[in-house]
DNA sequence: CGTCGGGTGTGCGATTGCGCACGGATAAGT
DNA sequence: ACTTATCCGTGCGCAATCGCACACCCGACG
């Protein structure tokens, strides 16, 4: 992790962006910009966190590690979320590991500062609590999808969720790592990804995956992606869904 | 649902019990006792709730229903929990169904009253938030267990969690319903339950399951039960783990 | 006392995913 | 340019689970 001297505001976090100007003005001086590289661990199971993080471009995975070594992702937070719910929920620590899944930056806030703001009980508190509920939905849906849907369905869901947080269409990620996230075998991911590539939905080469046909992916995906996205919309509004195809059409028309 | 005239306080809810006397005194007049029968639905996906419920003897399942009709339980709340997190988290509705899994009573509180109390920001708010975190842990662990552990392991976990909320050792529940909770086949449950019965852990007949050897169940269960129970302990303390065997030993010694 | 329906036991083939193992291909380092 | 590590493709046998079908059993109800 690198602490940035210059506070580049060109990109921000959706939760912070959604705050009214006067609230954001109060909070802004408390923020500090940091940059993470791929694979970094923000905290381990049981670690006490000193800061709450609001990703601006970094994508963080919340991973569960079982006693037998198996892993599974329970949730993702990108520029539409935050890391450190346990700090305001009161538990201080969580039983999961937070890993950088895609390098980038975040702004952070000292735990004490955040708690003071939270105690004011205004829109900031409200936003954090609503985000918690959207996270509960995400975790639930992920769990149910694990149980009832095929690896291919889950891979689609996972790609779509990640795509929403990405600046472009390309994700740096090996099949092996995706398998760890989904809690399945690497070969299972290879096979599912192979199918998606053969049918023109994605393209991948040695550790990168590129989305080619997002609307197509949405079509062959189970409902799980949409349910979570819609619930986030409802709870937090302002959700910027990826609509590259729409954007392209608009650009072409212009 | 039946609204009770007499407020029988002989049994209470652990979360409410844990409040300091002065706080509880303020809250008590706002409570109303209600009784539920097996299978009743407290709310459907998307329903707006008017009350928050604190179970005293009833056990409630939170179920997800997929488009293809498949179901899976994401969490349970008994006398150590509450139903209606969405009310204080701000979303008002949830994308799950709350079903009575074991008949019994609860006390409830009007949503507005609860919100006012919550806004005071004291121990009541703290308790509710900590409970949310414990619920997040439960949901996560359930999801991961779904993915990585066998049906038999999951059945053990599920039985233990339910046993913790039961007044006795007998649960009224068919294999078919358990299958719906776990998101697996009825036959799978029959097989796993058969194994548990053959080895003296449980006994069952036509819609009832009785725990015979709880410590044994804990031994052959995956870690998932313990992780959730420990986290609840840490967050909310005062968790009354079922220790029938210990109690019996104590009684025998007396 | 007989019927009926829900709950449980069980068997079978199909499918999915797992574990392992190896081979080829590509990037990265020396 | 050569080695090495990493990533991906693929095949095989195995285990778990699924989907379905049917038989049995018990209790409820008429």
């Amino acid at each position: 992790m690198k602490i940035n001297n210059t506070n580049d505001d060109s990109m921000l976090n959706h939760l912070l962006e959604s705050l009214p100007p006067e609230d954001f003005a109060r909070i802004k001086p408390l923020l500090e910009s940091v940059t993470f590289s791929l694979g970094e661990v923000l905290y381990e199971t049981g670690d006490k966190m000193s800061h709450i993080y609001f990703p601006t471009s970094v994508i963080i995975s919340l991973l569960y590690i079982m006693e037998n070594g198996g892993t599974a992702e329970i949730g993702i937070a990108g520029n539409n979320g935050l890391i450190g719910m346990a700090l305001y929920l009161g538990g201080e620590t969580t039983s999961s590991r937070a890993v950088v899944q895609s390098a980038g930056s975040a702004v952070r806030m000292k735990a004490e500062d955040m708690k003071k703001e939270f105690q004011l009980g205004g829109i900031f508190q409200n936003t954090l609590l609503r985000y918690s509920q959207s996270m509960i939905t995400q975790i639930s849906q992920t769990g149910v999808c694990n149980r009832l849907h095929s690896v291919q369905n889950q891979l689609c869901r996972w790609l779509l969720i990640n795509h929403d947080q990405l600046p472009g269409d390309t994700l740096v990620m090996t099949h092996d790592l995706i398998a760890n996230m989904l809690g399945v075998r690497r070969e299972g991911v290879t096979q599912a990804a192979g199918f998606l590539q053969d049918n023109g939905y994605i393209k991948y080469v040695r550790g990168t995956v590129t989305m080619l046909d997002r609307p197509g992916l949405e079509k062959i995906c189970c409902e799980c992606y949409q349910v979570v996205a819609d619930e986030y919309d409802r709870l937090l509004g302002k959700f910027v869904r990826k609509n590259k195809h729409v954007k392209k059409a608009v650009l072409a028309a212009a």
Side-chain angles (χ1 to χ4, degrees), chain A:
Chain A
M1 191 187 68
K2 188 171 82 60
I3 300 178
N4 305 326
N5 294 324
T6 62
N7 259 357
D8 180 9
D9 293 347
S10 63
M11 202 177 213
L12 240 171
N13 173 280
H14 292 174
L15 296 180
L16 294 177
E17 269 177 335
S18 74
L19 296 175
E22 62 270 27
D23 293 87
F24 183 63
R26 202 177 53 248
I27 287 167
K28 196 182 171 189
L30 306 172
L31 299 176
E32 179 181 44
S33 170
V34 292
T35 301
F36 294 99
S37 50
L38 182 62
E40 248 183 281
V41 174
L42 270 77
Y43 61 81
E44 282 289 345
T45 301
D47 279 3
K48 206 159 179 171
M49 298 180 67
S50 56
H51 294 78
I52 187 171
Y53 293 87
F54 297 91
T56 52
S57 58
V58 70
I59 303 179
I60 309 290
S61 258
L62 299 180
L63 280 183
Y64 248 62
I65 298 99
M66 309 295 280
E67 285 178 0
N68 63 17
T71 60
E73 185 183 68
I74 59 166
I76 296 182
N79 60 10
N80 64 354
L82 62 85
I83 293 291
M85 287 196 295
L87 289 174
Y88 60 83
L89 292 180
E92 302 289 336
T93 69
T94 328
S95 39
S96 60
R97 173 192 290 173
V99 188
V100 175
Q101 190 180 100
S102 177
S105 297
V107 293
R108 69 179 191 178
M109 200 168 161
K110 281 208 187 81
E112 312 90 70
D113 291 339
M114 184 274 294
K115 281 177 196 165
K116 269 184 214 149
E117 275 298 322
F118 185 87
Q119 288 304 331
L120 297 180
I123 187 95
F124 182 72
Q125 183 192 77
N126 196 255
T127 302
L128 263 47
L129 292 181
R130 281 171 171 269
Y131 176 70
S132 306
Q133 192 182 335
S134 88
M135 208 56 194
I136 290 176
T137 303
Q138 192 190 335
I139 296 172
S140 309
Q141 198 78 37
T142 304
V144 178
C145 193
N146 274 351
R147 161 57 75 197
L148 299 169
H149 294 150
S150 67
V151 171
Q152 187 192 306
N153 271 328
Q154 292 175 61
L155 177 60
C156 289
R157 173 177 56 77
W158 190 86
L159 289 172
L160 288 171
I161 292 178
N162 275 274
H163 190 212
D164 283 340
Q165 328 273 338
L166 283 172
D169 292 330
T170 297
L171 179 65
V172 178
M173 180 74 43
T174 65
H175 292 183
D176 197 39
L177 282 176
I178 296 177
N180 285 338
M181 301 295 172
L182 297 180
V184 300
R185 283 185 321 152
R186 195 266 310 164
E187 296 91 326
V189 173
T190 298
Q191 193 178 337
F195 173 85
L196 293 181
Q197 180 164 253
D198 291 348
N199 291 84
Y201 296 112
I202 63 172
K203 189 169 65 95
Y204 61 89
V205 278
R206 282 188 77 76
T208 67
V209 184
T210 305
M211 323 291 161
L212 296 178
D213 177 11
R214 179 172 170 113
L217 274 177
E218 290 183 6
K219 247 190 214 84
I220 63 164
C221 184
C222 50
E223 77 251 34
C224 298
Y225 165 72
Q226 206 61 46
V227 168
V228 174
D230 287 349
E231 181 69 353
Y232 183 95
D233 267 349
R234 187 181 75 82
L235 290 165
L236 280 318
K238 300 205 179 197
F239 183 40
V240 185
R241 192 77 39 78
K242 272 268 162 46
N243 277 311
K244 298 283 171 179
H245 55 297
V246 175
K247 280 186 195 163
K248 271 179 194 159
V250 171
L251 285 175

